[in-house]
Amino acid sequence: MPSLSIYAGGLQLNNPILLAAGILGTTGASLCRAARSGAGGVVTKSVGSLPREGHPGPTIVHVEGGLLNAMGLPNPSYKDFQDEIDAARASGVPVIASIFGSFAAEFAQIARSLKADAFELNLSCPHAEKYGSELGRYPDLVESVTGAVKAASNVPVWVKLTPNTADIVELGLAAQRGGADAIVAINTLKAMAIDIETGYPILGNRFGGLSGPAIKPVAVRCVYELAGRLEIPVIGVGGVSTWEDAVEMIMAGASAVQVGTALLRGYGVFEEITTGLSRYLERKSMTLEELCGLAGKEKLQ
Ligand code: SIN
C-alpha cells in the first residue's frame, strides 16, 4: 500500500486525515479515541482566555445537506484545558490546539501558556460577537494576530479562515505575511433556519454556521484558489465525508484534510477514508505528493 505519511504545516503526520476543530475535541479521551480510530492528527475544540457557556439553545439543527451550529465557543478556558491536551498527546498523534481571542495579545497570551504540538487560530467562527470572523475578515488583523502568536510560541501556527468574505486569498496572503505555517480552509458558512410553524429562527442565536456535504464545493473552490496563490500548505476542511471527497480536496491542493460533521457516522470514518485513499493511490500508481494539487496541474489519464 502507498505511504500516507506526510509532512504538512510543520508537523509529521502518519496520514493526512485529521479530526477538525469543534467535533469531539473537548476531552482528552475523545481526542485519543479519534487518534486510535485512525486520525493522523487531532484538533481540539476552540479554547479562549475565559470560561464561556456559549449561546442559548437550540445550538444545533439538522438541515438538508448538513448541520447548522451556533455553539458560541463554549469552553472551560485554556487554564483548565492543558490536562485534556496532555491526555490526547499520549495517543502519539499531533494535537493541534484551536484557540480564539478578540485581539492579538489575547491570542498570544494563550499560545504562550498552552503546550500543544501546534496552534490553529480560530479567525473564522461566523457567529460569536467580537471573535472569529469579526476579526478574521480583515487582512490586517489576520496578519497581526498570526504574527503575535508566532512571536509567542515555538510550534507551528495554522490559521483557519472564513469563507464568508469576497476574497479568501487576500486573507490567506495576510496570514502568510504574518508567518503562518499553514492555512486551514474553511470554517462554516454563516446561515440560518426558520421554524415555519412558529415563525421563529430555530437556533437560539438565530444565526449559525453551516457544515457538512452542502459546503464541500465551496471548500474545494477556496482550497484551489488558496493553493494556487500561497507558498504555505493549505489544509482542506468542509463537507468531507468520504474518501472520494478527500481525494477531491487533495487534488484541489490540500496537503491534509480535516473531517468534522461526518463524525456523526462514528469514529469509523477515519479508517474508511484512509483505506479508500490508499487504495485509490495504489490503483492510480501515484503518491500523495503527486495527487496534491493535481487539479491545478494536469489531468489524470
Ligand atoms: C462554536 O463553538 O460556536 C463553533 C466554532 C466555530 O464555528 O469556529
Side-chain angles (χ1 to χ4, degrees):
M1 281 293 210
S3 167
L4 290 187
S5 91
I6 187 157
Y7 184 77
L11 294 178
Q12 185 62 48
L13 306 167
N14 288 338
N15 75 68
I17 310 301
L18 317 178
L19 175 72
I23 306 266
L24 299 168
T26 53
T27 69
S30 58
L31 289 159
C32 274
R33 187 146 176 223
R36 279 199 305 271
S37 305
V42 292
V43 187
T44 70
K45 174 79 184 148
S46 300
V47 289
S49 55
L50 294 172
R52 273 173 68 91
E53 283 196 4
H55 294 316
T59 53
I60 294 187
V61 56
H62 279 268
V63 292
E64 199 177 336
L67 270 189
L68 262 182
N69 94 80
M71 303 298 294
L73 298 168
N75 79 101
S77 103
Y78 74 90
K79 293 172 193 140
D80 274 327
F81 201 62
Q82 188 63 55
D83 286 352
E84 306 301 340
I85 295 179
D86 292 343
R89 285 175 104 183
S91 70
V93 308
V95 177
I96 300 105
S98 171
I99 62 174
F100 70 90
S102 52
F103 49 93
E106 189 178 5
F107 274 90
Q109 167 63 30
I110 301 170
R112 236 188 314 274
S113 311
L114 218 47
K115 301 281 167 271
D117 296 303
F119 290 110
E120 181 177 285
L121 311 188
N122 184 341
L123 285 166
S124 42
C125 174
H127 49 73
E129 208 180 327
K130 301 199 185 88
Y131 297 113
S133 62
E134 291 205 3
L135 288 76
R137 62 174 185 256
Y138 300 107
D140 53 338
L141 292 180
V142 170
E143 183 176 346
S144 62
V145 169
T146 308
V149 175
K150 277 300 282 183
S153 74
N154 53 11
V155 295
V157 175
W158 297 359
V159 180
K160 187 165 181 179
L161 297 180
T162 178
N164 302 303
T165 177
D167 186 359
I168 197 166
V169 172
E170 199 187 1
L171 301 177
L173 289 168
Q176 182 172 275
R177 280 196 303 276
D181 296 276
I183 297 299
V184 180
I186 56 176
N187 206 317
T188 53
L189 272 81
K190 188 170 183 180
M192 75 183 297
I194 294 169
D195 177 351
I196 61 163
E197 292 304 322
T198 63
Y200 285 111
I202 296 175
L203 293 170
N205 185 58
R206 295 182 297 150
F207 305 112
L210 178 63
S211 62
I215 73 165
K216 193 196 68 182
V218 179
V220 168
R221 183 269 299 171
C222 290
V223 167
Y224 186 89
E225 287 187 337
L226 287 160
R229 292 282 305 281
L230 269 54
E231 306 298 324
I232 56 177
V234 179
I235 293 164
V237 54
V240 172
S241 308
T242 63
W243 68 263
E244 290 94 333
D245 296 337
V247 167
E248 187 180 358
M249 199 65 104
I250 296 167
M251 281 183 165
S255 299
V257 174
Q258 296 181 354
V259 181
T261 302
L263 265 294
L264 287 179
R265 293 208 311 272
Y267 287 95
V269 292
F270 293 113
E271 188 79 38
E272 274 172 43
I273 295 176
T274 52
T275 303
L277 177 58
S278 269
R279 289 192 179 137
Y280 176 84
L281 290 173
E282 189 173 42
R283 179 159 57 86
K284 296 285 185 185
S285 300
M286 291 179 84
T287 64
L288 204 46
E289 287 74 15
E290 286 165 343
L291 187 67
C292 183
L294 192 78
K297 297 173 191 154
E298 54 193 86
K299 302 284 176 289
L300 286 175
Q301 296 305 310

